[in-house]
Structures are given as structure tokens and as C-alpha cells.
mmCIF file with all atom_site columns, all heavy atoms in Angstrom:
data_model
loop_
_atom_site.group_PDB
_atom_site.id
_atom_site.type_symbol
_atom_site.label_atom_id
_atom_site.label_alt_id
_atom_site.label_comp_id
_atom_site.label_asym_id
_atom_site.label_entity_id
_atom_site.label_seq_id
_atom_site.pdbx_PDB_ins_code
_atom_site.Cartn_x
_atom_site.Cartn_y
_atom_site.Cartn_z
_atom_site.occupancy
_atom_site.B_iso_or_equiv
_atom_site.pdbx_formal_charge
_atom_site.auth_seq_id
_atom_site.auth_comp_id
_atom_site.auth_asym_id
_atom_site.auth_atom_id
_atom_site.pdbx_PDB_model_num
ATOM 1   N N   . ALA A 1 1  ? 22.777 -13.455 -9.283  1.00 98.00 ? 3  ALA A N   1
ATOM 2   C CA  . ALA A 1 1  ? 23.000 -14.340 -10.540 1.00 98.00 ? 3  ALA A CA  1
ATOM 3   C C   . ALA A 1 1  ? 22.023 -15.404 -10.525 1.00 98.00 ? 3  ALA A C   1
ATOM 4   O O   . ALA A 1 1  ? 21.496 -15.691 -11.556 1.00 98.00 ? 3  ALA A O   1
ATOM 5   C CB  . ALA A 1 1  ? 24.413 -14.879 -10.278 1.00 98.00 ? 3  ALA A CB  1
ATOM 6   N N   . MET A 1 2  ? 21.469 -16.008 -9.490  1.00 97.00 ? 4  MET A N   1
ATOM 7   C CA  . MET A 1 2  ? 20.534 -16.895 -9.533  1.00 97.00 ? 4  MET A CA  1
ATOM 8   C C   . MET A 1 2  ? 18.984 -16.462 -9.920  1.00 97.00 ? 4  MET A C   1
ATOM 9   O O   . MET A 1 2  ? 18.311 -17.180 -10.355 1.00 97.00 ? 4  MET A O   1
ATOM 10  C CB  . MET A 1 2  ? 20.364 -17.618 -8.006  1.00 97.00 ? 4  MET A CB  1
ATOM 11  C CG  . MET A 1 2  ? 21.654 -18.332 -7.638  1.00 97.00 ? 4  MET A CG  1
ATOM 12  S SD  . MET A 1 2  ? 21.343 -19.432 -6.147  1.00 97.00 ? 4  MET A SD  1
ATOM 13  C CE  . MET A 1 2  ? 20.932 -18.252 -4.884  1.00 97.00 ? 4  MET A CE  1
ATOM 14  N N   . MET A 1 3  ? 19.019 -14.997 -9.878  1.00 97.00 ? 5  MET A N   1
ATOM 15  C CA  . MET A 1 3  ? 17.624 -14.426 -10.158 1.00 97.00 ? 5  MET A CA  1
ATOM 16  C C   . MET A 1 3  ? 17.594 -14.263 -11.713 1.00 97.00 ? 5  MET A C   1
ATOM 17  O O   . MET A 1 3  ? 16.537 -13.980 -12.192 1.00 97.00 ? 5  MET A O   1
ATOM 18  C CB  . MET A 1 3  ? 17.560 -13.126 -9.590  1.00 97.00 ? 5  MET A CB  1
ATOM 19  C CG  . MET A 1 3  ? 17.227 -13.188 -8.082  1.00 97.00 ? 5  MET A CG  1
ATOM 20  S SD  . MET A 1 3  ? 15.587 -13.684 -7.680  1.00 97.00 ? 5  MET A SD  1
ATOM 21  C CE  . MET A 1 3  ? 14.675 -12.277 -8.191  1.00 97.00 ? 5  MET A CE  1
ATOM 22  N N   . GLY A 1 4  ? 18.508 -14.691 -12.403 1.00 96.00 ? 6  GLY A N   1
ATOM 23  C CA  . GLY A 1 4  ? 18.566 -14.586 -13.950 1.00 96.00 ? 6  GLY A CA  1
ATOM 24  C C   . GLY A 1 4  ? 17.431 -15.259 -14.611 1.00 96.00 ? 6  GLY A C   1
ATOM 25  O O   . GLY A 1 4  ? 16.837 -14.685 -15.487 1.00 96.00 ? 6  GLY A O   1
ATOM 26  N N   . VAL A 1 5  ? 16.933 -16.333 -14.078 1.00 95.00 ? 7  VAL A N   1
ATOM 27  C CA  . VAL A 1 5  ? 15.762 -16.998 -14.765 1.00 95.00 ? 7  VAL A CA  1
ATOM 28  C C   . VAL A 1 5  ? 14.455 -16.125 -14.507 1.00 95.00 ? 7  VAL A C   1
ATOM 29  O O   . VAL A 1 5  ? 13.634 -16.049 -15.419 1.00 95.00 ? 7  VAL A O   1
ATOM 30  C CB  . VAL A 1 5  ? 15.569 -18.362 -14.161 1.00 95.00 ? 7  VAL A CB  1
ATOM 31  C CG1 . VAL A 1 5  ? 15.174 -18.305 -12.527 1.00 95.00 ? 7  VAL A CG1 1
ATOM 32  C CG2 . VAL A 1 5  ? 14.421 -19.090 -14.893 1.00 95.00 ? 7  VAL A CG2 1
ATOM 33  N N   . ILE A 1 6  ? 14.303 -15.406 -13.502 1.00 95.00 ? 8  ILE A N   1
ATOM 34  C CA  . ILE A 1 6  ? 13.255 -14.506 -13.190 1.00 95.00 ? 8  ILE A CA  1
ATOM 35  C C   . ILE A 1 6  ? 13.369 -13.243 -14.175 1.00 95.00 ? 8  ILE A C   1
ATOM 36  O O   . ILE A 1 6  ? 12.251 -12.887 -14.870 1.00 95.00 ? 8  ILE A O   1
ATOM 37  C CB  . ILE A 1 6  ? 13.230 -14.015 -11.819 1.00 95.00 ? 8  ILE A CB  1
ATOM 38  C CG1 . ILE A 1 6  ? 13.133 -15.156 -10.801 1.00 95.00 ? 8  ILE A CG1 1
ATOM 39  C CG2 . ILE A 1 6  ? 12.015 -13.126 -11.540 1.00 95.00 ? 8  ILE A CG2 1
ATOM 40  C CD1 . ILE A 1 6  ? 12.131 -16.145 -11.096 1.00 95.00 ? 8  ILE A CD1 1
ATOM 41  N N   . HIS A 1 7  ? 14.417 -12.729 -14.394 1.00 95.00 ? 9  HIS A N   1
ATOM 42  C CA  . HIS A 1 7  ? 14.660 -11.660 -15.389 1.00 95.00 ? 9  HIS A CA  1
ATOM 43  C C   . HIS A 1 7  ? 14.297 -12.149 -16.747 1.00 95.00 ? 9  HIS A C   1
ATOM 44  O O   . HIS A 1 7  ? 13.751 -11.538 -17.579 1.00 95.00 ? 9  HIS A O   1
ATOM 45  C CB  . HIS A 1 7  ? 16.062 -11.106 -15.286 1.00 95.00 ? 9  HIS A CB  1
ATOM 46  C CG  . HIS A 1 7  ? 16.331 -10.348 -14.041 1.00 95.00 ? 9  HIS A CG  1
ATOM 47  N ND1 . HIS A 1 7  ? 15.827 -9.046  -13.800 1.00 95.00 ? 9  HIS A ND1 1
ATOM 48  C CD2 . HIS A 1 7  ? 17.013 -10.679 -12.963 1.00 95.00 ? 9  HIS A CD2 1
ATOM 49  C CE1 . HIS A 1 7  ? 16.285 -8.578  -12.644 1.00 95.00 ? 9  HIS A CE1 1
ATOM 50  N NE2 . HIS A 1 7  ? 16.994 -9.627  -11.966 1.00 95.00 ? 9  HIS A NE2 1
ATOM 51  N N   . SER A 1 8  ? 14.774 -13.423 -17.083 1.00 95.00 ? 10 SER A N   1
ATOM 52  C CA  . SER A 1 8  ? 14.484 -13.981 -18.454 1.00 95.00 ? 10 SER A CA  1
ATOM 53  C C   . SER A 1 8  ? 12.966 -14.138 -18.674 1.00 95.00 ? 10 SER A C   1
ATOM 54  O O   . SER A 1 8  ? 12.420 -13.749 -19.647 1.00 95.00 ? 10 SER A O   1
ATOM 55  C CB  . SER A 1 8  ? 15.116 -15.323 -18.533 1.00 95.00 ? 10 SER A CB  1
ATOM 56  O OG  . SER A 1 8  ? 16.525 -15.158 -18.507 1.00 95.00 ? 10 SER A OG  1
ATOM 57  N N   . LEU A 1 9  ? 12.261 -14.623 -17.696 1.00 94.00 ? 11 LEU A N   1
ATOM 58  C CA  . LEU A 1 9  ? 10.768 -14.870 -17.760 1.00 94.00 ? 11 LEU A CA  1
ATOM 59  C C   . LEU A 1 9  ? 10.172 -13.596 -17.908 1.00 94.00 ? 11 LEU A C   1
ATOM 60  O O   . LEU A 1 9  ? 9.202  -13.511 -18.694 1.00 94.00 ? 11 LEU A O   1
ATOM 61  C CB  . LEU A 1 9  ? 10.267 -15.654 -16.522 1.00 94.00 ? 11 LEU A CB  1
ATOM 62  C CG  . LEU A 1 9  ? 10.657 -17.220 -16.563 1.00 94.00 ? 11 LEU A CG  1
ATOM 63  C CD1 . LEU A 1 9  ? 10.285 -17.644 -15.132 1.00 94.00 ? 11 LEU A CD1 1
ATOM 64  C CD2 . LEU A 1 9  ? 10.147 -18.004 -17.595 1.00 94.00 ? 11 LEU A CD2 1
ATOM 65  N N   . GLU A 1 10 ? 10.598 -12.562 -17.108 1.00 93.00 ? 12 GLU A N   1
ATOM 66  C CA  . GLU A 1 10 ? 9.953  -11.211 -17.152 1.00 93.00 ? 12 GLU A CA  1
ATOM 67  C C   . GLU A 1 10 ? 10.170 -10.746 -18.549 1.00 93.00 ? 12 GLU A C   1
ATOM 68  O O   . GLU A 1 10 ? 9.264  -9.931  -19.161 1.00 93.00 ? 12 GLU A O   1
ATOM 69  C CB  . GLU A 1 10 ? 10.527 -10.211 -16.090 1.00 93.00 ? 12 GLU A CB  1
ATOM 70  C CG  . GLU A 1 10 ? 9.838  -8.991  -15.899 1.00 93.00 ? 12 GLU A CG  1
ATOM 71  C CD  . GLU A 1 10 ? 10.400 -7.933  -16.854 1.00 93.00 ? 12 GLU A CD  1
ATOM 72  O OE1 . GLU A 1 10 ? 11.607 -8.050  -17.279 1.00 93.00 ? 12 GLU A OE1 1
ATOM 73  O OE2 . GLU A 1 10 ? 9.626  -6.916  -17.067 1.00 93.00 ? 12 GLU A OE2 1
ATOM 74  N N   . GLY A 1 11 ? 11.369 -10.868 -19.045 1.00 95.00 ? 13 GLY A N   1
ATOM 75  C CA  . GLY A 1 11 ? 11.696 -10.343 -20.444 1.00 95.00 ? 13 GLY A CA  1
ATOM 76  C C   . GLY A 1 11 ? 10.787 -10.857 -21.552 1.00 95.00 ? 13 GLY A C   1
ATOM 77  O O   . GLY A 1 11 ? 10.630 -10.156 -22.600 1.00 95.00 ? 13 GLY A O   1
ATOM 78  N N   . VAL A 1 12 ? 10.227 -11.919 -21.391 1.00 94.00 ? 14 VAL A N   1
ATOM 79  C CA  . VAL A 1 12 ? 9.313  -12.565 -22.319 1.00 94.00 ? 14 VAL A CA  1
ATOM 80  C C   . VAL A 1 12 ? 7.845  -12.543 -22.065 1.00 94.00 ? 14 VAL A C   1
ATOM 81  O O   . VAL A 1 12 ? 6.939  -13.288 -22.591 1.00 94.00 ? 14 VAL A O   1
ATOM 82  C CB  . VAL A 1 12 ? 9.736  -14.002 -22.890 1.00 94.00 ? 14 VAL A CB  1
ATOM 83  C CG1 . VAL A 1 12 ? 11.155 -13.938 -23.521 1.00 94.00 ? 14 VAL A CG1 1
ATOM 84  C CG2 . VAL A 1 12 ? 9.766  -14.887 -21.559 1.00 94.00 ? 14 VAL A CG2 1
ATOM 85  N N   . GLY A 1 13 ? 7.577  -11.671 -20.941 1.00 93.00 ? 15 GLY A N   1
ATOM 86  C CA  . GLY A 1 13 ? 6.273  -11.510 -20.580 1.00 93.00 ? 15 GLY A CA  1
ATOM 87  C C   . GLY A 1 13 ? 5.573  -12.568 -19.756 1.00 93.00 ? 15 GLY A C   1
ATOM 88  O O   . GLY A 1 13 ? 4.387  -12.788 -19.553 1.00 93.00 ? 15 GLY A O   1
ATOM 89  N N   . GLN A 1 14 ? 6.424  -13.489 -19.239 1.00 92.00 ? 16 GLN A N   1
ATOM 90  C CA  . GLN A 1 14 ? 5.993  -14.609 -18.353 1.00 92.00 ? 16 GLN A CA  1
ATOM 91  C C   . GLN A 1 14 ? 6.196  -14.321 -16.817 1.00 92.00 ? 16 GLN A C   1
ATOM 92  O O   . GLN A 1 14 ? 5.989  -15.284 -16.122 1.00 92.00 ? 16 GLN A O   1
ATOM 93  C CB  . GLN A 1 14 ? 6.661  -15.893 -18.784 1.00 92.00 ? 16 GLN A CB  1
ATOM 94  C CG  . GLN A 1 14 ? 6.343  -16.359 -20.242 1.00 92.00 ? 16 GLN A CG  1
ATOM 95  C CD  . GLN A 1 14 ? 6.819  -17.616 -20.676 1.00 92.00 ? 16 GLN A CD  1
ATOM 96  O OE1 . GLN A 1 14 ? 7.263  -18.371 -19.853 1.00 92.00 ? 16 GLN A OE1 1
ATOM 97  N NE2 . GLN A 1 14 ? 6.849  -17.881 -22.016 1.00 92.00 ? 16 GLN A NE2 1
ATOM 98  N N   . TRP A 1 15 ? 6.381  -13.169 -16.480 1.00 94.00 ? 17 TRP A N   1
ATOM 99  C CA  . TRP A 1 15 ? 6.648  -12.936 -15.050 1.00 94.00 ? 17 TRP A CA  1
ATOM 100 C C   . TRP A 1 15 ? 6.257  -11.425 -14.803 1.00 94.00 ? 17 TRP A C   1
ATOM 101 O O   . TRP A 1 15 ? 6.640  -10.627 -15.598 1.00 94.00 ? 17 TRP A O   1
ATOM 102 C CB  . TRP A 1 15 ? 8.023  -13.135 -14.594 1.00 94.00 ? 17 TRP A CB  1
ATOM 103 C CG  . TRP A 1 15 ? 8.170  -13.292 -13.129 1.00 94.00 ? 17 TRP A CG  1
ATOM 104 C CD1 . TRP A 1 15 ? 8.361  -12.291 -12.122 1.00 94.00 ? 17 TRP A CD1 1
ATOM 105 C CD2 . TRP A 1 15 ? 8.066  -14.466 -12.249 1.00 94.00 ? 17 TRP A CD2 1
ATOM 106 N NE1 . TRP A 1 15 ? 8.421  -12.715 -10.803 1.00 94.00 ? 17 TRP A NE1 1
ATOM 107 C CE2 . TRP A 1 15 ? 8.387  -14.103 -10.906 1.00 94.00 ? 17 TRP A CE2 1
ATOM 108 C CE3 . TRP A 1 15 ? 7.914  -15.827 -12.685 1.00 94.00 ? 17 TRP A CE3 1
ATOM 109 C CZ2 . TRP A 1 15 ? 8.272  -14.993 -9.874  1.00 94.00 ? 17 TRP A CZ2 1
ATOM 110 C CZ3 . TRP A 1 15 ? 8.010  -16.745 -11.699 1.00 94.00 ? 17 TRP A CZ3 1
ATOM 111 C CH2 . TRP A 1 15 ? 8.226  -16.288 -10.220 1.00 94.00 ? 17 TRP A CH2 1
ATOM 112 N N   . GLN A 1 16 ? 5.594  -11.239 -13.628 1.00 92.00 ? 18 GLN A N   1
ATOM 113 C CA  . GLN A 1 16 ? 5.208  -9.882  -13.273 1.00 92.00 ? 18 GLN A CA  1
ATOM 114 C C   . GLN A 1 16 ? 5.788  -9.615  -11.693 1.00 92.00 ? 18 GLN A C   1
ATOM 115 O O   . GLN A 1 16 ? 5.862  -10.586 -10.952 1.00 92.00 ? 18 GLN A O   1
ATOM 116 C CB  . GLN A 1 16 ? 3.762  -9.537  -13.378 1.00 92.00 ? 18 GLN A CB  1
ATOM 117 C CG  . GLN A 1 16 ? 2.895  -10.597 -12.666 1.00 92.00 ? 18 GLN A CG  1
ATOM 118 C CD  . GLN A 1 16 ? 1.403  -10.310 -12.907 1.00 92.00 ? 18 GLN A CD  1
ATOM 119 O OE1 . GLN A 1 16 ? 1.017  -9.198  -12.540 1.00 92.00 ? 18 GLN A OE1 1
ATOM 120 N NE2 . GLN A 1 16 ? 0.716  -11.140 -13.589 1.00 92.00 ? 18 GLN A NE2 1
ATOM 121 N N   . PRO A 1 17 ? 6.020  -8.429  -11.448 1.00 92.00 ? 19 PRO A N   1
ATOM 122 C CA  . PRO A 1 17 ? 6.648  -8.119  -10.200 1.00 92.00 ? 19 PRO A CA  1
ATOM 123 C C   . PRO A 1 17 ? 5.752  -8.426  -9.064  1.00 92.00 ? 19 PRO A C   1
ATOM 124 O O   . PRO A 1 17 ? 6.361  -8.532  -7.992  1.00 92.00 ? 19 PRO A O   1
ATOM 125 C CB  . PRO A 1 17 ? 7.149  -6.674  -10.239 1.00 92.00 ? 19 PRO A CB  1
ATOM 126 C CG  . PRO A 1 17 ? 6.281  -6.069  -11.404 1.00 92.00 ? 19 PRO A CG  1
ATOM 127 C CD  . PRO A 1 17 ? 6.066  -7.178  -12.369 1.00 92.00 ? 19 PRO A CD  1
ATOM 128 N N   . ASP A 1 18 ? 4.482  -8.371  -9.236  1.00 92.00 ? 20 ASP A N   1
ATOM 129 C CA  . ASP A 1 18 ? 3.519  -8.611  -8.062  1.00 92.00 ? 20 ASP A CA  1
ATOM 130 C C   . ASP A 1 18 ? 3.679  -10.005 -7.559  1.00 92.00 ? 20 ASP A C   1
ATOM 131 O O   . ASP A 1 18 ? 3.644  -10.978 -8.395  1.00 92.00 ? 20 ASP A O   1
ATOM 132 C CB  . ASP A 1 18 ? 2.129  -8.328  -8.505  1.00 92.00 ? 20 ASP A CB  1
ATOM 133 C CG  . ASP A 1 18 ? 1.809  -6.880  -8.831  1.00 92.00 ? 20 ASP A CG  1
ATOM 134 O OD1 . ASP A 1 18 ? 2.595  -5.960  -8.258  1.00 92.00 ? 20 ASP A OD1 1
ATOM 135 O OD2 . ASP A 1 18 ? 0.947  -6.579  -9.604  1.00 92.00 ? 20 ASP A OD2 1
ATOM 136 N N   . ARG A 1 19 ? 3.817  -10.196 -6.203  1.00 93.00 ? 21 ARG A N   1
ATOM 137 C CA  . ARG A 1 19 ? 3.977  -11.552 -5.617  1.00 93.00 ? 21 ARG A CA  1
ATOM 138 C C   . ARG A 1 19 ? 2.625  -12.276 -5.710  1.00 93.00 ? 21 ARG A C   1
ATOM 139 O O   . ARG A 1 19 ? 1.588  -11.819 -5.816  1.00 93.00 ? 21 ARG A O   1
ATOM 140 C CB  . ARG A 1 19 ? 4.385  -11.301 -4.124  1.00 93.00 ? 21 ARG A CB  1
ATOM 141 C CG  . ARG A 1 19 ? 5.759  -10.906 -4.032  1.00 93.00 ? 21 ARG A CG  1
ATOM 142 C CD  . ARG A 1 19 ? 6.156  -10.957 -2.392  1.00 93.00 ? 21 ARG A CD  1
ATOM 143 N NE  . ARG A 1 19 ? 5.582  -9.820  -1.665  1.00 93.00 ? 21 ARG A NE  1
ATOM 144 C CZ  . ARG A 1 19 ? 4.782  -10.018 -0.666  1.00 93.00 ? 21 ARG A CZ  1
ATOM 145 N NH1 . ARG A 1 19 ? 4.512  -11.315 -0.402  1.00 93.00 ? 21 ARG A NH1 1
ATOM 146 N NH2 . ARG A 1 19 ? 4.223  -9.060  0.043   1.00 93.00 ? 21 ARG A NH2 1
ATOM 147 N N   . GLY A 1 20 ? 2.854  -13.615 -5.691  1.00 93.00 ? 22 GLY A N   1
ATOM 148 C CA  . GLY A 1 20 ? 1.669  -14.536 -5.844  1.00 93.00 ? 22 GLY A CA  1
ATOM 149 C C   . GLY A 1 20 ? 0.848  -14.535 -7.066  1.00 93.00 ? 22 GLY A C   1
ATOM 150 O O   . GLY A 1 20 ? -0.295 -14.947 -7.134  1.00 93.00 ? 22 GLY A O   1
ATOM 151 N N   . GLN A 1 21 ? 1.472  -13.990 -8.176  1.00 93.00 ? 23 GLN A N   1
ATOM 152 C CA  . GLN A 1 21 ? 0.818  -14.008 -9.509  1.00 93.00 ? 23 GLN A CA  1
ATOM 153 C C   . GLN A 1 21 ? 1.333  -14.819 -10.704 1.00 93.00 ? 23 GLN A C   1
ATOM 154 O O   . GLN A 1 21 ? 1.004  -14.747 -11.802 1.00 93.00 ? 23 GLN A O   1
ATOM 155 C CB  . GLN A 1 21 ? 0.602  -12.466 -9.911  1.00 93.00 ? 23 GLN A CB  1
ATOM 156 C CG  . GLN A 1 21 ? 0.020  -11.569 -8.866  1.00 93.00 ? 23 GLN A CG  1
ATOM 157 C CD  . GLN A 1 21 ? -1.404 -11.824 -8.523  1.00 93.00 ? 23 GLN A CD  1
ATOM 158 O OE1 . GLN A 1 21 ? -2.204 -12.163 -9.503  1.00 93.00 ? 23 GLN A OE1 1
ATOM 159 N NE2 . GLN A 1 21 ? -1.660 -11.866 -7.262  1.00 93.00 ? 23 GLN A NE2 1
ATOM 160 N N   . ASN A 1 22 ? 2.414  -15.525 -10.293 1.00 94.00 ? 24 ASN A N   1
ATOM 161 C CA  . ASN A 1 22 ? 3.310  -16.099 -11.318 1.00 94.00 ? 24 ASN A CA  1
ATOM 162 C C   . ASN A 1 22 ? 3.345  -17.676 -11.053 1.00 94.00 ? 24 ASN A C   1
ATOM 163 O O   . ASN A 1 22 ? 2.891  -18.293 -9.973  1.00 94.00 ? 24 ASN A O   1
ATOM 164 C CB  . ASN A 1 22 ? 4.755  -15.561 -11.228 1.00 94.00 ? 24 ASN A CB  1
ATOM 165 C CG  . ASN A 1 22 ? 4.756  -14.043 -11.509 1.00 94.00 ? 24 ASN A CG  1
ATOM 166 O OD1 . ASN A 1 22 ? 4.592  -13.588 -12.499 1.00 94.00 ? 24 ASN A OD1 1
ATOM 167 N ND2 . ASN A 1 22 ? 4.942  -13.303 -10.393 1.00 94.00 ? 24 ASN A ND2 1
ATOM 168 N N   . MET A 1 23 ? 3.867  -18.325 -12.061 1.00 93.00 ? 25 MET A N   1
ATOM 169 C CA  . MET A 1 23 ? 3.896  -19.817 -12.094 1.00 93.00 ? 25 MET A CA  1
ATOM 170 C C   . MET A 1 23 ? 4.606  -20.350 -10.983 1.00 93.00 ? 25 MET A C   1
ATOM 171 O O   . MET A 1 23 ? 4.354  -21.336 -10.417 1.00 93.00 ? 25 MET A O   1
ATOM 172 C CB  . MET A 1 23 ? 4.570  -20.273 -13.429 1.00 93.00 ? 25 MET A CB  1
ATOM 173 C CG  . MET A 1 23 ? 4.689  -21.732 -13.600 1.00 93.00 ? 25 MET A CG  1
ATOM 174 S SD  . MET A 1 23 ? 5.393  -22.329 -15.172 1.00 93.00 ? 25 MET A SD  1
ATOM 175 C CE  . MET A 1 23 ? 7.071  -21.621 -14.994 1.00 93.00 ? 25 MET A CE  1
ATOM 176 N N   . LEU A 1 24 ? 5.792  -19.667 -10.603 1.00 94.00 ? 26 LEU A N   1
ATOM 177 C CA  . LEU A 1 24 ? 6.746  -20.344 -9.552  1.00 94.00 ? 26 LEU A CA  1
ATOM 178 C C   . LEU A 1 24 ? 6.628  -19.712 -8.207  1.00 94.00 ? 26 LEU A C   1
ATOM 179 O O   . LEU A 1 24 ? 7.433  -20.093 -7.296  1.00 94.00 ? 26 LEU A O   1
ATOM 180 C CB  . LEU A 1 24 ? 8.197  -20.257 -10.024 1.00 94.00 ? 26 LEU A CB  1
ATOM 181 C CG  . LEU A 1 24 ? 8.384  -21.025 -11.355 1.00 94.00 ? 26 LEU A CG  1
ATOM 182 C CD1 . LEU A 1 24 ? 9.839  -20.866 -11.820 1.00 94.00 ? 26 LEU A CD1 1
ATOM 183 C CD2 . LEU A 1 24 ? 8.125  -22.464 -11.230 1.00 94.00 ? 26 LEU A CD2 1
ATOM 184 N N   . ASP A 1 25 ? 5.707  -18.772 -7.937  1.00 95.00 ? 27 ASP A N   1
ATOM 185 C CA  . ASP A 1 25 ? 5.606  -18.091 -6.559  1.00 95.00 ? 27 ASP A CA  1
ATOM 186 C C   . ASP A 1 25 ? 4.363  -18.409 -5.888  1.00 95.00 ? 27 ASP A C   1
ATOM 187 O O   . ASP A 1 25 ? 4.035  -17.640 -5.011  1.00 95.00 ? 27 ASP A O   1
ATOM 188 C CB  . ASP A 1 25 ? 5.839  -16.582 -6.858  1.00 95.00 ? 27 ASP A CB  1
ATOM 189 C CG  . ASP A 1 25 ? 4.607  -15.902 -7.641  1.00 95.00 ? 27 ASP A CG  1
ATOM 190 O OD1 . ASP A 1 25 ? 3.705  -16.615 -8.104  1.00 95.00 ? 27 ASP A OD1 1
ATOM 191 O OD2 . ASP A 1 25 ? 4.767  -14.744 -7.839  1.00 95.00 ? 27 ASP A OD2 1
ATOM 192 N N   . GLY A 1 26 ? 3.626  -19.438 -6.165  1.00 95.00 ? 28 GLY A N   1
ATOM 193 C CA  . GLY A 1 26 ? 2.355  -19.928 -5.614  1.00 95.00 ? 28 GLY A CA  1
ATOM 194 C C   . GLY A 1 26 ? 1.166  -19.354 -6.292  1.00 95.00 ? 28 GLY A C   1
ATOM 195 O O   . GLY A 1 26 ? 0.021  -19.645 -5.849  1.00 95.00 ? 28 GLY A O   1
ATOM 196 N N   . GLY A 1 27 ? 1.310  -18.452 -7.288  1.00 95.00 ? 29 GLY A N   1
ATOM 197 C CA  . GLY A 1 27 ? 0.245  -17.847 -8.076  1.00 95.00 ? 29 GLY A CA  1
ATOM 198 C C   . GLY A 1 27 ? -0.557 -19.026 -8.869  1.00 95.00 ? 29 GLY A C   1
ATOM 199 O O   . GLY A 1 27 ? -1.726 -18.868 -9.024  1.00 95.00 ? 29 GLY A O   1
ATOM 200 N N   . ALA A 1 28 ? 0.184  -19.898 -9.383  1.00 97.00 ? 30 ALA A N   1
ATOM 201 C CA  . ALA A 1 28 ? -0.440 -21.042 -10.128 1.00 97.00 ? 30 ALA A CA  1
ATOM 202 C C   . ALA A 1 28 ? -1.006 -22.174 -9.276  1.00 97.00 ? 30 ALA A C   1
ATOM 203 O O   . ALA A 1 28 ? -0.222 -22.552 -8.369  1.00 97.00 ? 30 ALA A O   1
ATOM 204 C CB  . ALA A 1 28 ? 0.509  -21.553 -11.282 1.00 97.00 ? 30 ALA A CB  1
#
């Protein structure tokens, strides 16, 4: 349930499954 925000970001093209490539996972 807490992962909902990640699914939302992925749905609008703002998240990818590869680690370390996103705004909130240390990629930025």
C-alpha cells in the first residue's frame, strides 16, 4: 500500500524499475 506513490510515478513516466536511476532512490 505504501508503494502506491512509486506505481503512480511509474504510470506517468517518472519512475523506472532500475535502482539508482530515480529522483527518490539516490539517482538524482
Side-chain angles (χ1 to χ4, degrees):
M4 294 192 297
M5 289 287 288
V7 64
I8 306 301
H9 291 282
S10 297
L11 290 171
E12 189 272 339
V14 294
Q16 295 183 18
W17 194 275
Q18 53 183 300
D20 294 334
R21 287 185 290 123
Q23 304 298 316
N24 301 287
M25 178 178 67
L26 300 176
D27 64 0

